[in-house]
Amino acid sequence: MRRSVVAGNWKMHGVRADQARLVGALLEGAEDFACDVLVCPPFPYLLEISRQLSGSVWRLGAQDLCADPGPGAFTGEVSGTMLHDVGCTHVLVGHSERRALYAEDDALIARKFQAAQAAGLVPILCVGESLDERERGVTETVVGRQLAAVLDVAGVAALSRAIIAYEPVWAIGTGKTATVEQAQAVHAFIRGRVAVQDAMIARSVRILYGGSVKASNAAELFAQPDIDGGLVGGASLHADEFLKIGAAAP
Ligand code: 13P
């Protein structure tokens, strides 16, 4: 396990040919990264991409999973077991788009976190405040609540097999990056909250920043003491750009 992680969340972009081209370019350009690198393609492409990435440094993540371990009557859902079976090692849990567009609440996200770990996947727990919440000065209340919802159910020890991603909603896909000071402050807050329960886990848990990460701002963000890499959306769809972000991680 490396100290930092750079993960690409492709969201609902591209079709099969685009994905294959992107993966091909990532494989060609891959160097000996100092960080762990992974991509999170849409569900239908996971198996094929898993085969393409096999034997490389790249790891595979999914963007969501069913809160119920299954198997069972859950039409339209995909279980952690299935994701693990097709080669995923990681899965995003509680991405802000899931929270905002699909009404996922803290309780459901905590169940998804546990379902991921039960299936042998590393959950990447996403937390972050909206613009309105930041302007009202309740960033720490919101992020603290989102974190506590999972810690209360899964226990702090579960964080030794998880990653946290801080993604301020107002910085996602907007081109508006949190300043390094703003990002570092929330990362330090998150680590502090974990430290209250377990200082060792707080030191080792990797906390990624997400929200308009680009090659031009990655190094500065990753140089902050509590920023252990990035969860990259838009820029991860461009191999050159994404490879540069990977290379910027310490
Ligand atoms: P952007 O990098 O496009 O802002 O997206 C961030 C994100 O939501 C990654 O999960």
Side-chain angles (χ1 to χ4, degrees), residues 21-84:
R21 252 196 313 275
L22 182 49
V23 172
L26 290 177
L27 286 171
E28 233 168 77
E31 48 179 282
D32 192 11
F33 294 105
C35 60
D36 288 335
V37 285
L38 70 126
V39 291
C40 303
F43 285 136
Y45 308 112
L46 287 171
L47 178 58
E48 190 166 352
I49 293 177
S50 166
R51 289 180 174 146
Q52 266 183 287
L53 295 180
S54 152
S56 80
V57 297
W58 294 90
R59 297 283 165 270
L60 187 66
Q63 299 174 17
D64 188 26
L65 82 165
C66 181
D68 201 291
F74 300 99
T75 301
E77 291 290 305
V78 178
S79 71
T81 303
M82 292 170 180
L83 296 174
H84 188 265

Side-chain angles (χ1 to χ4, degrees), residues 8-177:
N9 173 9
W10 295 353
K11 308 191 180 184
M12 200 172 73
H13 289 292
V15 292
R16 197 167 166 220
D18 305 306
Q19 314 275 345
R21 252 196 313 275
L22 182 49
V23 172
L26 290 177
L27 286 171
E28 233 168 77
E31 48 179 282
D32 192 11
F33 294 105
C35 60
D36 288 335
V37 285
L38 70 126
V39 291
C40 303
F43 285 136
Y45 308 112
L46 287 171
L47 178 58
E48 190 166 352
I49 293 177
S50 166
R51 289 180 174 146
Q52 266 183 287
L53 295 180
S54 152
S56 80
V57 297
W58 294 90
R59 297 283 165 270
L60 187 66
Q63 299 174 17
D64 188 26
L65 82 165
C66 181
D68 201 291
F74 300 99
T75 301
E77 291 290 305
V78 178
S79 71
T81 303
M82 292 170 180
L83 296 174
H84 188 265
D85 188 39
V86 298
C88 288
T89 48
H90 295 70
V91 61
L92 304 182
V93 169
H95 190 278
S96 67
E97 287 146 23
R98 301 298 315 170
R99 293 179 190 261
L101 304 175
Y102 304 99
E104 292 196 6
D105 61 15
D106 288 336
L108 178 69
I109 290 159
R111 288 178 57 219
K112 289 192 173 191
F113 181 97
Q114 289 192 292
Q117 290 195 325
L121 299 166
V122 174
I124 302 177
L125 171 67
C126 305
V127 297
E129 81 288 3
S130 66
L131 182 58
D132 172 61
E133 288 162 341
R134 175 158 284 266
E135 285 173 346
R136 284 193 285 116
V138 294
T139 296
E140 292 190 353
T141 312
V142 171
V143 170
R145 188 204 71 221
Q146 292 170 339
L147 187 62
V150 169
L151 290 183
D152 288 351
V153 170
V156 70
L159 287 185
S160 62
R161 291 175 292 123
I163 294 171
I164 300 172
Y166 168 58
E167 297 205 308
V169 178
W170 49 273
I172 296 179
T174 58
K176 218 174 168 183
T177 321

Side-chain angles (χ1 to χ4, degrees), residues 186-244:
V186 180
H187 281 238
F189 165 76
I190 293 170
R191 205 179 297 284
R193 273 295 164 92
V194 178
V196 169
Q197 298 193 26
D198 191 311
M200 231 162 71
I201 289 178
R203 269 196 299 278
S204 64
V205 69
R206 296 178 295 177
I207 309 175
L208 316 184
Y209 170 78
S212 300
V213 175
K214 303 184 272 281
S216 58
N217 61 21
E220 196 188 10
L221 285 161
F222 300 164
Q224 299 306 304
D226 291 298
I227 300 184
D228 308 310
L231 178 53
V232 186
S236 72
L237 296 167
H238 306 280
D240 284 357
E241 182 82 5
F242 191 43
L243 288 165
K244 281 186 199 151

